[in-house]
Amino acid sequence: MKLAALTVATGLVFATASPTPGIIMLDMTRKHTPSPLMELVKTKVLDPAEVVADKLLPFRWSYHGPRMQDIQGKGTSFARLDAQPSDSPGASSSSKMTNTLWSYIIELGIGTPEQKFKVIFDTGSPILWIPSSTCDKKCLGTTSTFKSNDSSTCDIAKDNKLRVHYGSGTVEGDLAHDTVSFQGTKIANQSIGLATSVVANLFSGGINGIVGFAPNTATRDFNIDGQVIPTPMDNLVAQKIISSNVFSVYFQPIRDHKDINTVGGKLALGGLLPPSTYQGQIQWIPQMTDGDYGAFWTITMDGLAVGDTKLPTSTNKEKSAGIVDTGTTMIILQPEIADSLYKQIKLAEYDTHLDLYTVPCNKIGQLPTLAFTFNGVTLKLTPQQYTVPEWQAGYWGVSKGNCPTYIVGGPLDGFEFILGQKFLESYVSFYDSNQHRIGFAAIR
């Protein structure tokens, strides 16, 4: 059921940030490289809309098809995030991430010697998996595959297998243990999935796999034996590489076409990102840990307003629960909630071909501010923060003069909303498993 978005391939160029005591921090930048999607844009093959929907949006807002488990009808766990890190300066590691315009990727080294992979950074799933070299015609679109025989530290499990159910199909393969490097920070004996069969269209733009940062309880649904598998964060703590099971994420939005080659993000493992990435105080929201919600980063929403108009936040009388998910591009609301929101945004029109709402680009300044309240914490989005800038609209396939919004309606079984990366480009997010909470602070 994963809904994320289009992607443009990028290469990675990394720069080391200024040192912070007790924290290893690496900046993320990117270098653009050609891709079929970018060539499509360059040649302006963007009309008619049906062509764009077919070529650019095969999975609508999803870069790699369904990006988290197909929750519908499976009763699997949902999400949770919110936690406060300890104030101790214990060791922390930071990795470089790249914003591919619609998806954020991180480069990992796997095996001994290292084999490099660019993977989706995903708080909506809990496991790291990449394509195996034995995945031939069943892994179309891959540009890198893992050669287990070339790694002296790889140990393939004989009694368990990888199995991941997505909305559009299944990923299957072997489970193994090997050394994983987050740009220099090495984790020994990390569990990884080696895919031997992958649902079509999951790979493109040089992306070859997913690294999950959801809580480990969700890993039961990713292997045939239903075992809880230690995540990279679990092993970073267990191996005393970091002192706290805390990570924080900074997604810098692309504000100008020149930024495509320069803007990225930051991922801090084991602590907080530096205050230079955000402004004001971190606002902490309790993580939902009851029942199935504990398998993802789940929070509750108790308020939604368009300007001064308050809207319902749930389609039933129970609490409105949703997840914070870096692997989803858009802000997704239950259709009923989305409909009530857009009734208050008078300039918005629905594009039936692209399944997106659009507004006149020259009237974005007239749109209302949106306010989302989570357990008493209110986070606002200005019109400029929830709409695509005019210079970028062509990438989305809309007609000239129209700009899409980042908020869409979609059926979400079990919860009411997903806060994807377009929300997170306005707020630095902090994920604290120690104290079961997630924090937000406005980006600088």
Side-chain angles (χ1 to χ4, degrees):
M1 176 223 68
K2 296 247 183 182
L3 303 176
L6 337 173
T7 190
V8 176
T10 61
L12 300 183
V13 178
F14 301 119
T16 302
S18 57
T20 301
I23 294 178
I24 302 170
M25 197 68 65
L26 298 174
D27 287 336
M28 304 174 289
T29 59
R30 78 179 150 230
K31 179 179 176 59
H32 171 71
T33 55
S35 73
L37 285 179
M38 181 55 76
E39 291 304 315
L40 186 64
V41 172
K42 284 181 178 179
T43 54
K44 304 186 186 304
V45 185
L46 293 176
D47 281 311
E50 291 88 344
V51 174
V52 178
D54 179 59
K55 293 187 177 180
L56 279 179
L57 302 172
F59 293 101
R60 308 203 328 182
W61 308 286
S62 179
Y63 152 66
H64 50 11
R67 45 146 262 78
M68 58 177 125
Q69 265 190 292
D70 180 18
I71 300 173
Q72 299 182 4
K74 294 187 179 297
T76 55
S77 327
F78 302 141
R80 53 223 260 64
L81 22 77
D82 47 46
Q84 183 163 18
S86 62
D87 293 329
S88 62
S92 171
S93 172
S94 171
S95 265
K96 319 142 207 167
M97 234 171 348
T98 294
N99 176 356
T100 61
L101 190 55
W102 288 285
S103 291
Y104 284 81
I105 63 173
I106 185 169
E107 187 176 68
L108 301 180
I110 300 177
T112 307
E114 290 184 9
Q115 301 174 44
K116 301 291 187 180
F117 292 86
K118 297 174 185 177
V119 298
I120 296 289
F121 171 74
D122 186 9
T123 60
S125 65
I127 199 168
L128 163 61
W129 67 264
I130 53 176
S132 166
S133 60
T134 62
C135 194
D136 223 352
K137 296 180 180 179
K138 293 184 178 181
C139 285
L140 297 178
T142 59
T143 55
S144 297
T145 59
F146 184 72
K147 302 174 180 62
S148 58
N149 290 336
D150 291 349
S151 174
S152 62
T153 48
C154 182
D155 181 25
I156 296 179
K158 296 179 175 59
D159 56 353
N160 201 0
K161 293 285 185 179
L162 172 74
R163 180 173 295 166
V164 184
H165 295 285
Y166 291 111
S168 61
T170 302
V171 174
E172 296 179 332
D174 295 315
L175 283 175
H177 294 86
D178 209 335
T179 300
V180 174
S181 173
F182 284 83
Q183 287 101 45
T185 299
K186 293 184 182 295
I187 307 172
N189 203 37
Q190 174 61 48
S191 297
I192 58 175
L194 302 179
T196 57
S197 176
V198 177
V199 58
N201 298 312
L202 204 59
F203 298 116
S204 67
I207 313 303
N208 295 284
I210 293 175
V211 57
F213 274 74
N216 64 18
T217 53
T219 59
R220 293 188 182 97
D221 298 316
F222 286 70
N223 64 96
I224 61 174
D225 284 354
Q227 297 178 3
V228 174
I229 298 173
T231 66
M233 284 299 296
D234 291 334
N235 281 328
L236 282 167
V237 174
Q239 295 175 27
K240 302 186 184 306
I241 300 170
I242 59 176
S243 60
S244 297
N245 197 337
V246 177
F247 65 96
S248 44
V249 180
Y250 169 71
F251 286 161
Q252 185 174 348
I254 299 174
R255 298 183 175 93
D256 185 86
H257 69 280
K258 296 178 182 177
D259 291 339
I260 293 179
N261 289 331
T262 60
V263 178
K266 295 180 181 180
L267 169 64
L269 304 177
L272 303 181
L273 283 161
S276 60
T277 61
Y278 60 91
Q279 52 189 322
Q281 298 296 312
I282 300 173
Q283 301 185 80
W284 295 99
I285 302 168
Q287 173 188 359
M288 292 182 67
T289 59
D290 53 312
D292 287 337
Y293 293 115
F296 294 92
W297 294 107
T298 307
I299 56 177
T300 58
M301 180 167 63
D302 45 27
L304 174 61
V306 180
D308 295 327
T309 303
K310 295 183 179 180
L311 304 177
T313 59
S314 178
T315 55
N316 54 48
K317 295 182 180 180
E318 299 178 1
K319 55 193 171 186
S320 177
I323 70 174
V324 183
D325 184 1
T326 61
T328 291
T329 300
M330 308 295 269
I331 302 165
I332 305 174
L333 305 175
Q334 280 283 8
E336 297 92 333
I337 300 174
D339 289 345
S340 65
L341 181 144
Y342 279 109
K343 285 179 180 177
Q344 303 301 320
I345 304 178
K346 305 303 182 183
L347 294 173
E349 294 186 356
Y350 186 67
D351 187 315
T352 56
H353 293 300
L354 299 178
D355 287 343
L356 296 169
Y357 282 90
T358 66
V359 296
C361 297
N362 61 359
K363 295 184 178 180
I364 287 177
Q366 300 177 26
L367 301 178
T369 294
L370 306 182
F372 300 80
T373 302
F374 306 101
N375 205 57
V377 174
T378 297
L379 305 176
K380 295 182 177 181
L381 294 181
T382 66
Q384 292 75 18
Q385 289 173 319
Y386 66 82
T387 56
V388 174
E390 185 171 10
W391 69 267
Q392 196 187 108
Y395 289 97
W396 296 76
V398 296
S399 57
K400 187 175 182 180
N402 288 325
C403 288
T405 68
Y406 294 132
I407 302 170
V408 298
L412 304 173
D413 185 24
F415 51 92
E416 307 295 314
F417 63 90
I418 297 177
L419 301 181
Q421 63 194 47
K422 290 306 176 184
F423 186 94
L424 300 175
E425 285 181 352
S426 296
Y427 292 92
V428 177
S429 53
F430 307 86
Y431 306 78
D432 184 352
S433 293
N434 296 332
Q435 299 189 47
H436 300 295
R437 62 183 181 172
I438 182 172
F440 291 97
I443 67 167
R444 285 193 181 275

